[in-house]
Amino acid sequence: MKIDRTGSNLTPFMSLFADGKGDNFKIALSRSFSFASYIAILAKNTMPAHKLDLWDQAVQYQLAKIGQSEKLFVDGTILLLEKYDSKEVWQHGLSITNPPRLGQRLWVLSDAIIKTPTQAIAIELDHGSQLGRWVQQLLKAVRILASDRVDGVLYCFYWEKDLSPSESLLGTNFDFSEEFLSLINALLFNKKLGLITLGLNNTSFSFERADAVKFFEETYVTNPKMSLKSRQVAQKILENL
């Protein structure tokens, strides 16, 4: 597989999306990434040492909300998010024991699964502002293709700054090296890889305080699955908003 300098290629998975192109899914991702950034900044300004796993929680929270109200995938295809459907997502991880310890979190695990009647596509949701981070997390994402429980991986990355006017990760005088591409190809196991990279210029959505309040209340304060410490920290953030 050749990865071009834009860091995006949905061709392997076009047939999964209700619009046939994945544009609506990219908009949903943009809104979710933007919401996570808003929540992370708000919490940092309010309580800098909170230590909550806010970015992952906020991305999946918003993506779940959008998925409930909009048709993103073709009939018979569902999106399973690790924060909400953990036991089902865990079944598609990479195990280090034989037989696998089903029902428990496996060694390598994706953030979500696009599940069809015949396929399971792992989704990795990451963010950063350096090309090294983008590459590091991509290599982490493709490891899951060693699992016989997934048929492909869709790597989704939030570039926390503006992309170039050509929406390229690399300058015009650069391209990905053959060594890097050879490494990616060696890890694909003849399976499919899709990529979506979105920059700040793709994620200009605005949110209100009420959106943040609802997120903290539903995700932490009233969620019995969260630890007492996490619920208390979230409550303090809410009180200081």
Side-chain angles (χ1 to χ4, degrees):
M1 175 179 180
K2 180 172 176 59
I3 299 175
D4 67 32
R5 56 171 51 92
T6 67
S8 292
N9 180 8
L10 268 178
T11 303
F13 302 124
M14 292 293 194
S15 62
L16 298 178
F17 300 105
D19 62 6
K21 298 180 293 184
D23 288 349
N24 289 338
F25 181 71
K26 285 196 284 188
I27 292 172
L29 272 180
S30 294
R31 288 165 56 188
S32 300
F33 286 155
S34 185
F35 180 72
S37 180
Y38 167 72
I39 291 294
I41 292 171
L42 190 68
K44 185 177 181 180
N45 292 339
T46 304
M47 193 174 178
H50 60 78
K51 295 183 180 180
L52 295 179
D53 182 23
L54 285 181
W55 198 88
D56 288 349
Q57 290 284 358
V59 168
Q60 296 198 30
Y61 171 87
Q62 187 71 2
L63 200 51
K65 294 288 185 186
I66 296 170
Q68 290 168 5
S69 61
E70 299 180 18
K71 183 177 173 61
L72 299 176
F73 301 99
V74 296
D75 291 341
T77 298
I78 57 173
L79 177 65
L80 301 170
L81 296 162
E82 194 268 336
K83 300 299 184 187
Y84 297 90
D85 311 287
S86 59
K87 289 186 178 179
E88 291 189 67
V89 174
W90 290 353
Q91 293 179 28
H92 299 280
L94 179 62
S95 178
I96 57 174
T97 62
N98 189 22
R101 299 167 64 190
L102 295 180
Q104 300 184 42
R105 184 185 177 98
L106 300 181
W107 173 52
V108 175
L109 188 69
S110 62
D111 294 311
I113 293 288
I114 301 174
K115 193 169 184 180
T116 79
T118 59
Q119 297 182 84
I121 308 301
I123 297 182
E124 190 72 17
L125 302 164
D126 281 298
H127 62 116
S129 59
Q130 300 295 327
L131 184 60
R133 168 74 176 178
W134 183 89
V135 169
Q136 176 187 349
Q137 296 307 104
L138 173 59
L139 292 172
K140 174 177 174 284
V142 297
R143 287 186 312 175
I144 199 171
L145 293 177
S147 170
D148 61 6
R149 299 171 188 83
V150 297
D151 303 284
V153 64
L154 177 55
Y155 177 59
C156 306
F157 192 87
Y158 177 36
W159 188 257
E160 295 173 324
K161 55 186 179 181
D162 286 343
L163 292 167
S164 70
S166 63
E167 298 200 348
S168 173
L169 289 168
L170 303 177
T172 55
N173 296 325
F174 297 93
D175 205 345
F176 290 114
S177 70
E178 289 301 320
E179 293 92 336
F180 167 64
L181 296 176
S182 295
L183 177 58
I184 293 295
N185 285 326
L187 294 170
L188 288 185
F189 295 92
N190 294 316
K191 296 181 181 180
K192 295 180 287 188
L193 171 63
L195 305 103
I196 299 174
T197 301
L198 299 167
L200 281 176
N201 42 351
N202 304 123
T203 55
S204 56
F205 295 90
S206 61
F207 301 93
E208 300 177 356
R209 180 182 178 278
D211 299 314
V213 170
K214 192 172 182 180
F215 163 75
F216 281 109
E217 287 180 343
E218 293 181 0
T219 305
Y220 292 98
V221 177
T222 62
N223 186 353
K225 294 182 179 180
M226 289 292 176
S227 68
L228 177 60
K229 177 66 175 178
S230 294
R231 283 183 275 146
Q232 290 174 335
V233 170
Q235 183 62 54
K236 287 181 181 179
I237 292 174
L238 275 178
E239 291 169 359
N240 294 327
L241 285 181

